[in-house]
Amino acid sequence: MTKDTREKIIELAQEAIATRGYSAFSFRELATALGIKSASIHYHFPTKTHLGVEVARNYRGQLKHAFDNIENGYPDDPKKALESLIAVYRYEVRSSQRMTVCTMLGAEIKNLPVEIQTEMKSFYDLNIGFIERQFQKMGYENPREKACQLFALLQGGLMGSKGQNDPAYFDVVVKSAQLL
Amino acid sequence: MTKDTREKIIELAQEAIATRGYSAFSFRELATALGIKSASIHYHFPTKTHLGVEVARNYRGQLKHAFDNIENGYPDDPKKALESLIAVYRYEVRSSQRMTVCTMLGAEIKNLPVEIQTEMKSFYDLNIGFIERQFQKMGYENPREKACQLFALLQGGLMGSKGQNDPAYFDVVVKSAQLL
DNA sequence: AATCACCTATCTAGTGATAGATAGGCTTGA
DNA sequence: TCAAGCCTATCTATCACTAGATAGGTGATT
């Protein structure tokens, strides 16, 4: 019951961060959305930094979980696994107003409390690690490098689609990943 | 003399936006840096939106100017022209705390006044247009698509380098552009 | 040449709104 | 009974923004 509130706060904060950024969301706005008062959010998270860190950790967990699922689903089909990842991004491009938490916090990084800055590295490690493993399975010679390249393409493609308000941009960009 | 103040405000605001974002910079901080009062900034720019639009326009002008220079310098060497563009990004990666104005405002887009959102499209048109022209000169079959791909790579590479605090990431990412 | 009107660029002092944060009290269920 | 969860009420700091004043320069009229 009460645990729910805490989780809902994290969920809403995550959505807000991915959509408008860390510095642009407020306790009051989350509270209003939840039908409670901003003071009550401080009960669960003493400071905005605490909440931010928790969102980051939560996001990290979701990432890990999603990657585990994909890899369990396609243990011997790395190409399908990569396509699943791309499909997630494509879905975000087409159906949401959001960036990725990783992308948004990455852009804002110089304006974040150090505790959150620290979390950033793990987002990249998870994403690139997942991609790298697929490329390994595919027998590529420089799986790590290729992974960095694909991930940059995904991030750049997502950002560009939103910036130009053109979902097709993402598809065009990702097309070049067919040189996998 | 006095014209200078206005220009210095734009300059400082641009730096602040590229570093920490539109929603994270304040009139007071610019004023303090200039040794004046925030009220004086309102003399030059009635609202934050006005200033933001002016920064965007100014940035657009700088972009255009930089691209013109490169194209005049290498009218018959599109490869060198592209290398010049990449060198600019590489320099930003290694020597500054900044993102690009285009990258930063792109991430924040859902939190920007519409007047500034509108400017975004022109950043992409300029960047991608420049790259496309070089690919045309190089006789590529789908210069526009290739241009989108390279630009996404540059944006993603810049963001990733900052997010991981690893300049080498950019170099690794851009290496894949050697398939030009 | 002197005066009057206006402009530029800044100031002081303040507005109301909102930010994150805190102290202390009420309510409810185990 | 007592702690969890949320409340009211408030604080301090900062936000963008405004009103009104002032000092110094420009320029035209007399």
Side-chain angles (χ1 to χ4, degrees):
Chain A
M1 265 292 113
T2 296
K3 255 289 161 65
D4 265 22
T5 299
R6 196 190 133 92
E7 272 157 30
K8 279 183 199 160
I9 293 169
I10 293 177
E11 207 173 290
L12 277 174
Q14 184 169 324
E15 169 81 18
I17 288 172
T19 307
R20 309 197 321 284
Y22 178 81
S23 50
F25 92 89
S26 74
F27 274 38
R28 281 190 162 80
E29 124 203 3
L30 300 185
T32 302
L34 284 168
I36 62 177
K37 300 293 169 176
S38 74
S40 305
I41 299 196
H42 282 282
Y43 170 77
H44 296 281
F45 307 95
T47 70
K48 192 179 183 181
T49 298
H50 283 88
L51 174 53
V53 168
E54 225 48 46
V55 168
R57 282 210 235 281
N58 189 61
Y59 178 70
R60 194 211 294 168
Q62 287 176 359
L63 266 188
K64 180 153 172 31
H65 190 248
F67 290 145
D68 286 349
N69 275 354
I70 294 177
E71 285 181 302
N72 288 336
Y74 302 109
D76 304 313
D77 197 342
K79 202 149 189 293
K80 268 258 155 53
L82 286 177
E83 277 166 19
S84 300
L85 172 64
I86 293 172
V88 170
Y89 272 82
R90 182 172 288 116
Y91 178 81
E92 287 300 322
V93 164
R94 307 240 165 217
S95 66
S96 84
Q97 307 279 60
R98 279 173 249 127
M99 301 284 160
T100 300
V101 170
C102 177
T103 300
M104 191 58 104
L105 292 184
E108 292 188 285
I109 195 159
K110 281 287 162 252
N111 204 48
L112 298 177
V114 281
E115 296 94 320
I116 303 178
Q117 284 183 29
T118 306
E119 294 285 329
M120 285 302 306
K121 194 92 178 71
S122 68
F123 299 160
Y124 281 93
D125 286 346
L126 277 169
N127 275 290
I128 294 170
F130 168 81
I131 301 173
E132 182 183 10
R133 256 170 276 134
Q134 312 315 310
F135 282 153
Q136 264 165 356
K137 288 184 188 169
M138 291 162 82
Y140 280 66
E141 70 277 29
N142 287 319
R144 182 79 187 177
E145 291 198 1
K146 286 248 180 295
C148 293
Q149 290 154 10
L150 175 55
F151 188 62
L153 220 48
L154 289 175
Q155 279 205 296
L158 175 63
M159 284 225 27
S161 292
K162 301 296 182 183
Q164 298 171 87
N165 194 25
D166 173 20
Y169 178 82
F170 180 81
D171 297 321
V172 167
V173 164
V174 167
K175 219 194 265 180
S176 69
Q178 300 321 352
L179 358 128
L180 302 179
Chain B
M1 269 293 111
T2 296
K3 253 286 161 62
D4 267 21
T5 299
R6 196 192 133 93
E7 272 156 31
K8 278 184 200 160
I9 293 169
I10 293 178
E11 208 173 288
L12 276 174
Q14 184 170 324
E15 170 82 18
I17 288 172
T19 307
R20 310 198 319 284
Y22 177 82
S23 50
F25 90 90
S26 75
F27 274 38
R28 276 191 162 81
E29 124 202 3
L30 300 186
T32 301
L34 284 168
I36 61 177
K37 300 294 168 179
S38 73
S40 304
I41 299 193
H42 282 281
Y43 169 78
H44 297 280
F45 307 95
T47 71
K48 192 178 183 180
T49 297
H50 284 87
L51 174 54
V53 168
E54 224 50 44
V55 167
R57 282 209 234 282
N58 189 61
Y59 178 71
R60 194 210 293 168
Q62 288 176 0
L63 265 188
K64 181 155 172 30
H65 190 248
F67 289 146
D68 285 351
N69 275 353
I70 294 176
E71 286 181 301
N72 288 336
Y74 302 108
D76 303 313
D77 196 343
K79 201 149 189 293
K80 268 258 157 52
L82 285 178
E83 277 166 18
S84 300
L85 172 65
I86 293 173
V88 170
Y89 272 81
R90 182 173 289 117
Y91 178 81
E92 286 300 322
V93 164
R94 306 240 165 217
S95 66
S96 84
Q97 307 279 60
R98 278 174 250 126
M99 300 285 160
T100 300
V101 169
C102 176
T103 300
M104 190 58 105
L105 292 184
E108 292 187 284
I109 193 158
K110 281 285 162 254
N111 204 48
L112 298 177
V114 281
E115 296 95 319
I116 303 178
Q117 282 183 30
T118 307
E119 294 285 328
M120 286 302 306
K121 194 94 178 71
S122 68
F123 299 160
Y124 281 94
D125 287 344
L126 276 170
N127 276 291
I128 294 170
F130 167 82
I131 301 173
E132 182 183 10
R133 256 170 277 133
Q134 312 314 311
F135 282 153
Q136 264 166 356
K137 288 183 188 169
M138 292 162 80
Y140 280 65
E141 70 277 28
N142 287 320
R144 182 79 188 175
E145 290 198 1
K146 286 249 180 295
C148 293
Q149 290 154 10
L150 175 54
F151 187 62
L153 220 48
L154 289 175
Q155 279 206 296
L158 176 62
M159 283 223 28
S161 292
K162 300 296 182 183
Q164 298 171 88
N165 194 25
D166 172 21
Y169 178 82
F170 180 80
D171 297 322
V172 167
V173 163
V174 167
K175 219 195 268 183
S176 70
Q178 300 321 351
L179 358 128
L180 303 179

